[in-house]
Amino acid sequence: MPLSEHEQRMLEQMERALYAEDPKFATALEGSGLRTYTRRRVYQAVAGFLVGIALLMAGMVSKQIWVSVVGFLVMLGCAVLAVTGWRKAPKPGEQPAAPGAPAARHPGRQRRSMMDRIEKRWQRRRDEQGQ
């Protein structure tokens, strides 16, 4: 059964508060998400790059140019995968962007002001409930 809009907002608020209070703990609870998948993909690309080097060297030793060319192409493809995967990896505690969402012009400034507003609201609610 899907969560209602109100429940989803409350869950997101609790997640943000957890990240704000203890980012290490929140990251440990995160489990295998996009960040873990991206990291694994980068490691596989590095392993593929090493296989490409081995093919390149084997082609040079056996004097078969096509093996060297295949090794070079494997190295090039894996290097591109590793670099793009590394850049796309979300930082700890950061929510991955939606696929169709437009990029913000000033993400650091916008995120900070948004987080400030959320923190103020959260604190206000805590104070109201505590009294």
Side-chain angles (χ1 to χ4, degrees):
M1 180 173 165
L3 297 174
S4 69
E5 266 188 51
H6 177 69
E7 290 170 334
Q8 287 177 348
R9 276 188 265 126
M10 291 298 291
L11 182 61
E12 288 173 1
Q13 273 185 337
M14 288 188 289
E15 287 177 0
R16 283 190 219 109
L18 179 62
Y19 278 117
E21 289 176 13
D22 194 355
K24 286 183 182 179
F25 179 67
T27 304
L29 289 179
E30 196 172 60
S32 63
L34 179 64
R35 200 167 122 232
T36 305
Y37 169 76
T38 306
R39 186 181 312 139
R40 187 179 316 128
R41 185 173 165 192
V42 169
Y43 290 150
Q44 289 171 348
V46 169
F49 187 84
L50 295 175
V51 168
I53 290 176
L55 283 172
L56 182 73
M57 299 303 280
M60 291 175 69
V61 168
S62 66
K63 294 184 181 177
Q64 294 187 3
I65 301 217
W66 67 272
V67 176
S68 295
V69 170
V70 169
F72 176 76
L73 292 176
V74 168
M75 286 172 50
L76 182 65
C78 289
V80 168
L81 281 176
V83 170
T84 58
W86 193 264
R87 286 183 182 170
K88 289 181 182 178
K91 309 271 186 293
E94 179 181 61
Q95 293 294 329
R105 292 179 86 173
H106 303 286
R109 186 171 24 162
Q110 183 183 21
R111 187 180 311 129
R112 180 75 328 236
S113 64
M114 182 184 76
M115 286 303 292
D116 287 337
R117 283 184 280 142
I118 290 171
E119 288 173 8
K120 286 176 186 176
R121 284 187 211 157
W122 183 260
Q123 191 62 36
R124 195 175 343 124
R125 287 181 184 153
R126 275 179 136 176
D127 292 341
E128 289 174 2
Q129 290 177 354
Q131 291 178 349

